[in-house]
Every structure is written in structure tokens, then in C-alpha cells.
Amino acid sequence: MTRPKIFLFGDSITEDSFDVGGWGASLAHHFSRSVDVVLRGYSGYNTRWALKVLDRVFPGSLGGDGGTGAAPLAVTIFFGANDASLPDRCSAFQHVPLHEYKQNLRSIVSFFKKQWPTTPVLLITPPPIDDDARLRFPYVDNPQGLPERTNEAAGEYARGCIAVAGECGVPVVDLWTKMQQFPDWRKSHLSDGLHLTQSGNRVVFEEVIAKLRDEGLSLESMPVDLPLIADIDPNDPLKAFL
């Protein structure tokens, strides 16, 4: 028996999503009897690098989803936090200009639409940035003493992601805007000025669930893979498996 799949494709915020309280782990728990949530997260990656490895991550020669031959129920694309690294700061090697970021997103969406025409593709914008926290938690040597990411730049890339979603006709989670609606989001929703706390992960989970529901993918609409215990006759248990 092969369960349907939901693929999560993105950078470290996706890679970390199966940690305790992560949004990917929450999705896997939510759909635990109906869907396999498959993680394809790559810490530090930008859309330029993601585009280069698409064929290796999702090899069409293996049936498109790792060998099962079935199209997934949905794919999330969650890039931009690294693309938005500033070009004149210590993480410049991750920077991708905004116009290229948008074109890369278009190409990634197109790749999935070509491979799986009926599969919903969900874009997620980069999250907001706490500029001050980025100085306290540097990832690389920072001789300039300046934040390598800023909330202003992240907002530009978030708006670019939303624009691409509109052009491609796919749903989008505007995480940059949504998260800033919470009081004290910098401390409550971000652990280091970029990555998510459990509260931040909860926002992503709830927004993704809502968008999937809009696409007709809800827990109620999906069959379970095997009989539930409530449906097994205690006087003839094996009957349920015929």
C-alpha cells in the first residue's frame, strides 16, 4: 500500500521543520493516518542552488516522487530567506538579486507543474527578520558588525514571492506579514532573528493547513490507510481486513 505524499521543499526553515514542535512534524502528525509528509529541506540554500538540484531531488526518471510513480497531493516551496541576504555583508555568497529570485521561483513552480500538472503547489514567503538578533547570532564571521539580513530586505523578497504566486496562479502563505501581526513576534516567533520558535512554526503549520484546505485537501476529505480501531468488530476482528 502506497500512501499519498506531500513534499516540503525549502531551506533550513524546512529542514528544521521536523524538529520538536516544527511545522513539518505537525503536518506529519496531522495527516498521520492518511498522508506521508516528505521532507526535502536544504539548510543555507537559495533559489539559485535549488534550481540546480531539482532533477536530483525530484528525479522524473524514478516516477517523479522517488519511485512510487504517483503524483503527490501537494508541494510546498519555501525559499527566500537566504536569497535576501544582503549583497555587501558577510553572507553575500547566499544573495540572489530580487529579479533572479522571482525568475527562479517561476522556474521551480513550472518544474513541478510540468511534472505533476494536477498537484497544488504552495509558495511560502520568507519570514520577517529581527535585525538586532542577527547581530547576536552570527552564522559566519561578521567583521563589519552589521546584520547580514534585514526585515526590510526580507519584505521585498516576500512581496516578490507573492507576485510570482499571482503570475503562476498558485496559492501563497504571506508569512512575512502574518507573523508580524503577533505582539513581540521578534522574541516569541524567532529563535535567532531568522529561524522559528515553536510559536513561529505553529503559524506556518496553521497557514499551510488553511491553504491546503482551500485546495480541497483536508483531513476530513482523505481516507485513512487502514481500518480504524472503532471500525473493527471485536467479535470478528479479521473481517475488517478482507
Side-chain angles (χ1 to χ4, degrees), residues 50 59 90 95-96 140 148 154 158-159 178 196-197 206:
C90 59
H95 171 75
V96 172
V140 296
E148 89 293 12
R159 288 186 286 275
K178 181 67 177 181
L196 308 179
T197 62
E206 291 176 351

Side-chain angles (χ1 to χ4, degrees), residues 14 47 84 113 120 157 183 195:
T14 296
T47 55
K113 285 298 186 183
Y157 282 71
H195 295 97

Side-chain angles (χ1 to χ4, degrees), residues 70-88:
L73 288 180
V75 179
T76 64
I77 303 171
F78 194 174
F79 288 100
N82 298 314
D83 301 68
S85 297
L86 299 178
D88 58 349

Side-chain angles (χ1 to χ4, degrees), residues 12-225:
S12 59
I13 303 176
T14 296
E15 182 176 333
D16 294 344
S17 72
F18 269 35
D19 202 350
V20 176
W23 65 275
S26 295
L27 279 174
H29 176 69
H30 182 77
F31 291 119
S32 59
R33 288 292 297 270
S34 303
V35 179
D36 286 338
V37 179
V38 183
L39 182 64
R40 294 293 184 268
Y42 302 92
S43 180
Y45 276 47
N46 55 33
T47 55
R48 183 182 293 162
W49 304 347
L51 200 54
K52 292 292 185 182
V53 301
L54 265 177
D55 285 321
R56 277 183 274 178
V57 178
F58 302 97
S61 60
L62 295 177
D65 66 349
T68 68
L73 288 180
V75 179
T76 64
I77 303 171
F78 194 174
F79 288 100
N82 298 314
D83 301 68
S85 297
L86 299 178
D88 58 349
R89 305 282 172 88
C90 59
S91 292
F93 71 101
Q94 292 173 293
H95 171 75
V96 172
L98 180 59
H99 67 88
E100 182 189 343
Y101 166 71
K102 293 170 68 176
Q103 183 53 50
N104 291 343
L105 277 185
R106 293 185 195 102
S107 297
I108 293 170
V109 171
S110 177
F111 173 90
F112 287 125
K113 285 298 186 183
K114 181 178 180 181
Q115 186 142 288
W116 302 310
T118 62
T119 295
V121 175
L122 172 61
L123 288 174
I124 306 174
T125 76
I129 298 293
D130 178 0
D131 300 21
D132 292 338
R134 291 305 318 122
L135 292 176
R136 298 196 303 272
F137 302 99
Y139 304 142
V140 296
D141 289 338
N142 186 6
Q144 294 172 295
L146 297 171
E148 89 293 12
R149 291 166 171 82
T150 65
N151 199 33
E152 180 182 4
E156 293 177 358
Y157 282 71
R159 288 186 286 275
C161 180
I162 293 167
V164 170
E167 294 168 13
C168 297
V170 299
V172 60
V173 171
D174 182 2
L175 184 61
W176 188 83
T177 298
K178 181 67 177 181
M179 195 169 287
Q180 292 183 82
Q181 295 172 355
F182 291 86
D184 199 29
W185 60 270
R186 291 174 177 83
K187 291 184 174 62
S188 62
H189 286 63
L190 300 175
S191 63
D192 58 1
L194 169 63
H195 295 97
L196 308 179
T197 62
Q198 289 194 17
S199 295
N201 273 284
R202 185 71 189 180
V203 173
V204 179
F205 165 70
E206 291 176 351
E207 291 296 303
V208 168
I209 286 293
K211 293 296 182 181
L212 292 177
R213 184 179 292 275
D214 290 344
E215 297 298 314
L217 301 174
S218 67
L219 194 61
E220 297 77 15
S221 69
M222 298 177 187
V224 296
D225 58 351

Side-chain angles (χ1 to χ4, degrees), residues 226-227 236-242:
L226 289 170
D236 188 5
L238 295 181
K239 181 180 179 181
F241 305 108
L242 297 177

